[in-house]
Amino acid sequence: MILLSTLLLLFLVTTFKFAQSQPPLASCDGFYGCISSLRQSDCAPGEVLISGASLDGCCPGCRGGQGYMQVCNVNVPNRRCAPGLKCDRKCLYDQTTCLHTIHMKEEEEWAGWYPRCNVDGTYASRQCRGDRLSGRCFCYSEDGRRLFGWDWYKNAATMTCACSRRRAKLEAEGRTTVTLHCTQNGNFEELQCDSGVCWCADEYGGDPLIGTTVVHDGLWKLLPCYNATLHGDSYLRQCESAAFAQKTIQKRFATRGTIGVTFNAVRCDYDGTYGAYKIENGVVYCTWRDGKKIGSFQVRSSMVSSVNCNCARDTQIFQEAGIPFTLSCGGNGNYEYLQDQNGQLFCVDGDGYVVSTDVRPTESCDKFIYNSEFYDEE
Ligand SMILES: *[C@@H]1O[C@H](CO)[C@@H](O)[C@H](O)[C@H]1NC(C)=O
């Protein structure tokens, strides 16, 4: 204990020194006056709300420029594209920033849904669909990919998706054995273990709760948030244990020099349950949280990068919630973009929400879906 606190003190002292030696930032200190309630809807048509657009770059503000498909020139100040667009003789969607979706909204034929953006150009972590009664919210990454984590719209007020985002980030950095546990809505579970240590976590941000300590993972049962009924004897859940065992075997094969032994990796979700699909003998199957196959959804494994099984999983989620499920899934378990109900055609997107009710039989739904190939201009 004494050693630990000495170490902690040392750590604090070093970080403090480090912080002191940093050059002062070109300063927005003393700026407390940003209008934090400024919204995109407060901007004039064609203008986009971005961070650092007003008061010497210290506050968010609205900024305009040439609109979508207008002629542009990066060297002429009043010929530059508006935020969210990039200049290639004409202003085109800059899909590296969420802000491009704001210009889609201004397109006349655009009827679809577009995601919410943060003023820094990243995607908002929580993206909500449908109405407040039966709609749902999903966790999204900063760059606009759907992540693990969802809740009904009416329950989503405290949903931060911070755990889902943390895990996604760590995995993107190359860590293959992250064991943070997220709740169904993408927040942090109360008890966390990762990288050999355990702690009682703040649900919304994941930091250790004030007044609790971080312990070596062998001591996890001593944590005040440990509950024997709930957590039992093992922090890792069934799927995680299976995945862990597989990785150990793989490692053993690798050290013996056996290569070419391919495993179909056990995929787990961020709550420790089984992932949305598994691969067996060259076939991808949609699976439920317990690892069992859902229906007969399947596709050959070369197609795996396009599989999300969102529709297959939703059939089960809606059934459990007692809500009739009326949409059709593709054979691979994804949502079929073009839906047909008694001859009435409409389009849904990958999350299963209607994006257009005005579609002709020969028309593709892609142009109503913000992240579809239709909008990849290059
Ligand atoms: C432990 O978990 C069980 C099951 O969820 C719950 O019923 C019980 O109230 C918990 N006990 C404590 C002390 O929190």
Side-chain angles (χ1 to χ4, degrees), residues 144-155:
R145 286 173 301 114
R146 183 168 148 185
L147 300 175
F148 171 86
W150 73 274
D151 211 337
W152 300 100
Y153 206 147
K154 55 180 183 281
N155 302 333

Side-chain angles (χ1 to χ4, degrees), residues 85-160:
L85 299 174
K86 60 184 176 189
C87 185
D88 184 4
R89 290 188 299 264
K90 290 177 185 167
C91 295
L92 304 175
Y93 296 131
D94 179 1
Q95 297 198 357
T96 61
T97 162
C98 177
L99 299 175
H100 78 274
T101 62
I102 288 163
H103 300 280
M104 297 176 131
K105 185 181 63 164
E106 290 168 354
E107 285 295 285
E108 257 179 51
E109 65 175 328
W110 178 252
W113 173 82
Y114 57 93
R116 277 194 321 124
C117 303
N118 296 320
V119 291
D120 63 0
T122 59
Y123 289 74
S125 56
R126 185 175 74 207
Q127 302 283 351
C128 297
R129 314 298 312 275
D131 57 53
R132 276 174 201 275
L133 275 175
S134 62
R136 295 160 77 194
C137 301
F138 304 97
C139 293
Y140 272 70
S141 66
E142 288 189 352
D143 58 357
R145 286 173 301 114
R146 183 168 148 185
L147 300 175
F148 171 86
W150 73 274
D151 211 337
W152 300 100
Y153 206 147
K154 55 180 183 281
N155 302 333
T158 56
M159 174 178 173
T160 62

Side-chain angles (χ1 to χ4, degrees), residues 53-257:
S54 69
L55 295 170
D56 292 331
C58 289
C59 287
C62 301
R63 184 170 289 170
Q66 298 293 89
Y68 179 61
M69 283 301 181
Q70 287 186 324
V71 174
C72 57
N73 185 336
V74 287
N75 300 314
V76 182
N78 63 4
R79 281 269 158 160
R80 288 179 192 146
C81 299
L85 299 174
K86 60 184 176 189
C87 185
D88 184 4
R89 290 188 299 264
K90 290 177 185 167
C91 295
L92 304 175
Y93 296 131
D94 179 1
Q95 297 198 357
T96 61
T97 162
C98 177
L99 299 175
H100 78 274
T101 62
I102 288 163
H103 300 280
M104 297 176 131
K105 185 181 63 164
E106 290 168 354
E107 285 295 285
E108 257 179 51
E109 65 175 328
W110 178 252
W113 173 82
Y114 57 93
R116 277 194 321 124
C117 303
N118 296 320
V119 291
D120 63 0
T122 59
Y123 289 74
S125 56
R126 185 175 74 207
Q127 302 283 351
C128 297
R129 314 298 312 275
D131 57 53
R132 276 174 201 275
L133 275 175
S134 62
R136 295 160 77 194
C137 301
F138 304 97
C139 293
Y140 272 70
S141 66
E142 288 189 352
D143 58 357
R145 286 173 301 114
R146 183 168 148 185
L147 300 175
F148 171 86
W150 73 274
D151 211 337
W152 300 100
Y153 206 147
K154 55 180 183 281
N155 302 333
T158 56
M159 174 178 173
T160 62
C161 298
C163 180
S164 294
R165 280 203 162 181
R166 179 85 55 85
R167 275 202 62 152
K169 199 163 199 170
L170 291 170
E171 286 169 8
E173 286 167 10
R175 266 194 58 200
T176 53
T177 51
V178 185
T179 56
L180 296 173
H181 281 164
C182 308
T183 52
Q184 181 210 273
N185 68 3
N187 289 3
F188 284 87
E189 276 191 17
E190 202 181 7
L191 196 161
Q192 299 290 342
C193 294
D194 194 37
S195 297
V197 291
C198 301
W199 68 98
C200 296
D202 167 48
E203 175 190 355
Y204 306 115
D207 291 335
L209 287 174
I210 292 168
T212 65
T213 48
V214 176
V215 301
H216 184 277
D217 60 9
L219 303 175
W220 72 299
K221 289 185 178 175
L222 300 179
L223 287 168
C225 52
Y226 173 80
N227 176 337
T229 339
L230 204 58
H231 301 114
D233 283 328
S234 167
Y235 174 79
L236 292 185
R237 304 204 164 129
Q238 195 186 358
C239 181
E240 293 173 307
S241 301
F244 187 75
Q246 193 187 45
K247 282 191 185 100
T248 315
I249 295 170
Q250 258 166 323
K251 215 176 275 174
R252 210 173 297 155
F253 270 113
T255 48
R256 279 205 214 126

Side-chain angles (χ1 to χ4, degrees), residues 314-330:
D314 284 355
T315 58
Q316 196 120 349
I317 287 170
F318 279 71
Q319 191 185 3
E320 283 184 4
I323 301 171
F325 189 82
T326 55
L327 299 173
S328 34
C329 302

